[in-house]
Amino acid sequence: MNKKILSLLSQNARLGAEDIATMLGMEPQQVAAEIHEMEQSGLICGYKTVVDWDRLESAYVSAVIELKVTPKVGLGFEEIAERVMHYPEVEAVYLMSGAYDLSVMVKCKTFQQVAMFVAKELSTIESVNATATHFVLRRYKEFDVELTNSDTDDRGNYLL
Amino acid sequence: MIDYDKVLTPTVRATPPSGIRRFFDIAAQMEDVISLGVGEPDFPTPWLVRSAGIRSLEQGKTKYSANAGILPLRQELAAYMQRKYDLTYDPEREILVTVGGSEAIDLCIRAVVAPGDEVIIPQPSFVCYEPLTRLAGGVPVIIETRAEDDFKVTPQQLKAALSPRTKALVLPYPCNPTGGIMERADLEALSEVLKGTNVLVISDEIYSELTFGRRHVSPASLPGMAERTVVINGFSKNFSMTGWRLGYACGPAPVMKQLTKIHQYAIMCAPTTAQHAALEALRSCDEVVAAMIDQYDMRRRLIVAGFNEIGLTCREPAGAFYAFPSIAVTGMTSEEFCEKLLYAKGVAVVPGTAFGKGGEGFIRASYCYSADHIKEALRRMGEFVRSVAG
């Protein structure tokens, strides 16, 4: 496990082993091997693109749904979390401290679909006691990337 | 009609404007230009520092401060200089907070130079020392540092430059644009030469945090050198605070007393908001600064390897955030190279000659940019070098 490689890849997943090796003063083969190992072990879970979907007309509708659930004896929250995360509409599931238990990020094509998903799927799960649905109105920052700012360099070319 | 030539002094009229303005004026007119020209960090000022500035505004701390700067900042600076560089200063008498390191440089030169006095200036180096010396009526004596010496000042060069009229030696290390640094042994050799003279060392250490894999050594920390050294530093580069305009000078009380007088009459005090922000920078930013240095270090390796790969020989810069590769392989002058590169490939870099005649044959490339930006610039420069180096 190499934290520096992870840190570089988490900022920019497209950096190649060659560049990473140069930046860290390592051998490219060694970097490639370490990345491969982290992929195999599941420490690196995947590579995706950060998209500003709101720029498209066919934008998605996202919602954060709070679930209050009754944990099962012996299984805690695992069983319900696993059940919820398998739905294709679900992007993320977190166990939370505080007023509710599970936070579920859902993405659908329309508001109606989100509503139906909550009503027909989530609410009907036996151990779910209550739901609260919060729709996302606008995304400002995602995965550390500011979506609203165009990335301009306003530094002047002064001779310094 | 008024004759401005009669109004303005010959010295100020003869002072050349900054040498690269022309390139950047051209660059500004072009599309798809990618620059390695900027000499300031791309990181925003650490959030804690910005919020300390905001808090001071909310609390209405918007009045003049003491001439030398708010005392808590000077006390914190004394602790910082001790902790970082083994330097001991009395916050009441030996530390002056200035408007950027630049003001401190100007104060030092004005305080020691009478008409005809000499100031020894190593070049290639930051552009201000020579004009400020001339404006004070002084005579710049240039030491041209060499690539084969890693752009250090050697004791032989210093000996040859000294004269009965020498008042000051500027030591601009870590060096913009060469990335050169002076290590303890290098400084010891110079201190031997200076022993017994009345030469003040103006040590511009604005890049002191940006030395890679080693600790910056201040000449003032050498035995016998504190009494003849004014250490100049600031928050711009080390804490990514360029626009706040805050620097400082530390030195022997008899010198600082005089610098403070000039500062008092010309400036009054450094911006109060910036002083409160800077206090936070010294108190709580070690980790943020370390993370920035880590980033610079990775970019440094990337750009140095990239230059060497495309055939522009580049020594490893030990400090600051510039690479200074040789363009000898192209057979062009620095200016020619920069102009042609800009027109052919839309990449803006700075000719080494902007930092003194000794910079001929080199270019300065800043690595205050993202890895992707640096890679794209190197790709274009590689194409350019291949097309001209036959």
Side-chain angles (χ1 to χ4, degrees), chain B residues 175-220:
Chain B
C175 183
N176 165 18
T178 64
I181 61 167
M182 294 286 279
E183 297 191 73
R184 182 171 298 276
D186 305 316
L187 292 168
E188 278 166 355
L190 298 192
S191 99
E192 278 304 309
V193 179
L194 292 172
K195 212 183 265 175
T197 66
N198 283 317
V199 173
L200 186 77
V201 173
I202 302 174
S203 184
D204 182 355
E205 305 177 25
I206 194 82
Y207 293 96
S208 61
E209 286 288 299
L210 302 173
T211 54
F212 303 103
R214 62 207 107 188
R215 202 166 169 226
H216 168 71
V217 182
S218 171

Side-chain angles (χ1 to χ4, degrees), chain A residues 4 7-8 11-12 15-16 19 22-25 153 155-160, chain B residues 18 20 24 35 38 40-42 127 176 294 298 301 305 364 368-369 372 375:
Chain A
K4 289 207 156 169
S7 152
L8 279 173
Q11 289 159 34
N12 181 357
L15 274 181
D19 288 331
T22 307
M23 291 167 85
L24 298 180
D153 189 344
R155 291 175 294 168
N157 285 303
Y158 315 109
L159 184 46
L160 292 171
Chain B
S18 126
I20 57 162
F24 290 117
S35 173
V38 163
E40 64 178 317
D42 57 330
V127 293
N176 165 18
D294 223 29
M298 290 193 271
R301 292 169 200 262
R364 187 192 79 171
C368 294
Y369 295 93
D372 279 343
K375 280 172 59 188

Side-chain angles (χ1 to χ4, degrees), chain A residues 65 67 69 77-94 102-106 117 121-123 125 127-128 131:
Chain A
I65 298 153
L67 295 188
V69 305
F77 294 97
E78 300 303 304
E79 194 192 64
I80 172 80
E82 208 152 301
R83 175 145 179 213
V84 169
M85 77 186 186
H86 287 313
Y87 289 104
E89 291 89 343
V90 171
E91 281 199 306
V93 181
Y94 306 113
L102 291 180
S103 173
V104 183
M105 313 290 222
V106 171
F117 175 70
E121 304 292 340
L122 295 183
S123 323
I125 298 171
S127 45
V128 170
T131 67

Side-chain angles (χ1 to χ4, degrees), chain A residues 60-64 91 106-108 111 114 134-137 139:
Chain A
Y60 288 95
V61 175
S62 296
V64 180
E91 281 199 306
V106 171
K107 190 165 85 175
C108 294
F111 281 90
V114 175
H134 307 277
F135 285 102
V136 174
L137 301 181
R139 267 181 248 329

Side-chain angles (χ1 to χ4, degrees), chain B residues 40 44-54 56-57 98-100 235-236 239-247 270-278:
Chain B
E40 64 178 317
T45 301
W47 174 247
L48 281 172
V49 177
R50 283 185 276 161
S51 63
I54 294 166
S56 79
L57 290 173
T98 57
V99 179
F235 295 86
S236 294
F239 295 94
S240 202
M241 290 179 68
T242 46
W244 297 80
R245 307 310 306 123
L246 209 67
T272 303
T273 310
Q275 294 189 53
H276 287 286

